[in-house]
Amino acid sequence: SERVFLAVINTLAALSIELAHKPVNLNQSKIAGGGAIKPLVALVTGTANEIVKVQSAYALACITLAHPENQKELKRETSFNFKLLIDLLYSSDKEVSQGAGRALTTFAYNNIPAQKEIVNSGEIKYSQFLSFLSSESEDEQAHAAFQVVVLARVMTGEDHVVVMACGIEVLASLLDSQNELIQELAANFIASLAHTRAGIPAAIVTVGAVTTLISMLNSPHELVRTSTATALGYLTYNRDAMRLLLSACRRKPEIYNKLVHFVGDGKVSDVFKKEWDYCVLKGLPIQRMLENMYAYDNPSSTLEVPAKTITETMESPTFAGTVSDDILEGESHHRYTSASTAV
């Protein structure tokens, strides 16, 4: 049946990428090696069912995401082109339109050559996304917001900076949703955007999303905590976001433990880790408070409260030198002028 057919296609897509649009190269290679690309292209170009078309295109986008060999194989399928998807973007069927947008967005994600090819294949109007951005459905809002940020530079009708700002603001507002599934979706999209082009992480910080994400680490829903930790992990590569998170961890050390636990295999800046180690070495606020209380009760003792009683077991810094003490005082004279770019 069509339902089973679509389930198989969606499974191929789900196996190819993880949270934050992180490709699973082994699965991508096996799926392509099993001969999936050619029949998926045939579905995009041949079937009359538009839902099947856009879902197949999205599966192709996932299978080829950041995978040069699979991209070359798709390139050899000359019947496939982005014009097919651009035409479907303007479908009167909302599911087809947003599905086409999702496929185009995934093809364009961190892929400049694909973005150039999309520009040469047809016009993507910003106005096409406005009804989704203002929809009563938070799910539609979230998907449209992510899509306009990624596709901003290939759109017409509005300055790309304005488009990106609008999308980021929508995603930040959806972090406050009462629906945990929307919170998870918005955090996941922010995680994806946090390791795209320069300037986007700074915009995420500007709209106040970091503070909201930090509070979401306390969510009772594990999937929300995982998506949130992944987003914060990528944001530690941004200096301002790192400082906000470091400050929160100093006040409440359990935040660091939750971040490390739920981020799993996700990315966390080595600079952030080193600075946290240094903060632990120098003494966290709560640790100093306990030491002062102990000294007051035991004036003749020189015993100090060990840091690990506050933060669990943590290794000492292994880097040469120390960060500036201004980190501990909240000043702006950080010795790291920039953070490494997340891959």
Side-chain angles (χ1 to χ4, degrees):
S1 69
E2 178 184 316
R3 186 175 179 179
V4 174
F5 195 51
L6 286 172
V8 172
I9 295 172
N10 291 335
T11 299
L12 293 177
L15 289 172
S16 298
I17 60 173
E18 296 179 333
L19 279 175
H21 281 70
K22 180 181 177 182
V24 185
N25 295 120
L26 180 61
N27 288 352
Q28 291 173 312
S29 297
K30 288 187 175 181
I31 290 170
I37 290 180
K38 185 179 287 292
L40 284 172
V41 169
L43 289 172
V44 174
T45 59
T47 183
N49 188 318
E50 293 185 337
I51 296 295
V52 173
K53 280 179 179 286
V54 295
Q55 296 286 44
S56 299
Y58 175 65
L60 283 169
C62 293
I63 293 168
T64 58
L65 178 65
H67 197 298
E69 291 303 316
N70 289 357
Q71 290 171 1
K72 290 177 183 177
E73 184 173 344
L74 178 60
K75 197 76 173 177
R76 288 193 287 268
E77 299 294 329
T78 56
S79 61
F80 177 83
N81 61 76
F82 290 127
K83 185 179 185 306
L84 296 169
L85 293 177
I86 294 174
D87 290 342
L88 290 170
L89 182 67
Y90 297 101
S91 170
S92 58
D93 186 320
K94 294 178 75 173
E95 185 178 357
V96 172
S97 177
Q98 196 153 59
R102 182 170 71 157
L104 285 166
T105 298
T106 309
F107 276 118
Y109 182 80
N110 282 350
N111 190 335
I112 299 299
Q115 292 176 22
K116 291 179 179 178
E117 192 172 342
I118 289 172
V119 170
N120 294 329
S121 299
E123 183 180 16
I124 297 180
K125 299 177 182 178
Y126 175 58
S127 58
Q128 179 62 25
F129 296 84
L130 293 178
S131 62
F132 293 114
L133 289 170
S134 60
S135 170
E136 293 183 0
S137 166
E138 291 183 326
D139 183 81
E140 289 183 358
Q141 290 180 40
H143 280 92
F146 177 66
Q147 290 171 19
V148 298
V149 176
V150 175
L151 296 173
R153 295 196 177 190
V154 303
M155 284 183 176
T156 62
E158 186 57 270
D159 183 82
H160 72 274
V161 175
V162 174
V163 172
M164 288 191 291
C166 175
I168 291 170
E169 286 178 354
V170 170
L171 288 175
S173 68
L174 291 174
L175 293 175
D176 293 318
S177 172
Q178 299 301 306
N179 185 334
E180 69 272 11
L181 295 178
I182 298 300
Q183 286 185 320
E184 176 200 348
L185 184 63
N188 184 32
F189 282 150
I190 287 176
S192 298
L193 294 175
H195 61 112
T196 53
R197 53 184 170 268
I200 290 182
I204 293 172
V205 174
T206 300
V207 298
V210 174
T211 302
T212 306
L213 287 167
I214 291 171
S215 67
M216 287 169 61
L217 285 173
N218 295 317
S219 170
H221 306 285
E222 184 172 355
L223 292 178
V224 173
R225 296 194 299 269
T226 300
S227 294
T228 297
T230 302
L232 287 171
Y234 280 114
L235 285 168
T236 59
Y237 289 86
N238 173 271
R239 175 182 172 179
D240 293 328
M242 180 181 68
R243 291 177 66 84
L244 288 171
L245 183 56
L246 187 64
S247 177
C249 289
R250 289 186 62 246
R251 291 193 302 271
K252 296 181 178 180
E254 65 271 16
I255 291 176
Y256 181 87
N257 297 328
K258 289 179 180 179
L259 173 66
V260 172
H261 175 73
F262 287 107
V263 80
D265 295 330
K267 292 279 188 177
V268 178
S269 164
D270 287 337
V271 174
F272 173 76
K273 292 178 181 178
K274 290 173 181 177
E275 296 219 5
W276 171 249
D277 287 340
Y278 180 69
C279 287
V280 172
L281 184 66
K282 292 287 288 186
L284 302 171
I286 189 172
Q287 178 190 352
R288 292 175 179 175
M289 180 186 72
L290 291 177
E291 289 175 350
N292 291 336
M293 291 173 62
Y294 187 89
Y296 180 81
D297 293 335
N298 303 271
S300 62
S301 174
T302 58
L303 179 65
E304 293 186 352
V305 180
K308 66 180 180 181
T309 63
I310 310 300
T311 62
E312 300 180 359
T313 303
M314 297 180 184
E315 296 180 357
S316 298
T318 56
F319 58 99
T322 59
V323 294
S324 303
D325 286 344
D326 62 273
I327 284 293
L328 303 177
E329 303 302 330
E331 300 293 339
S332 60
H333 308 294
H334 196 291
R335 80 178 180 98
Y336 291 101
T337 57
S338 63
S340 304
T341 301
V343 178

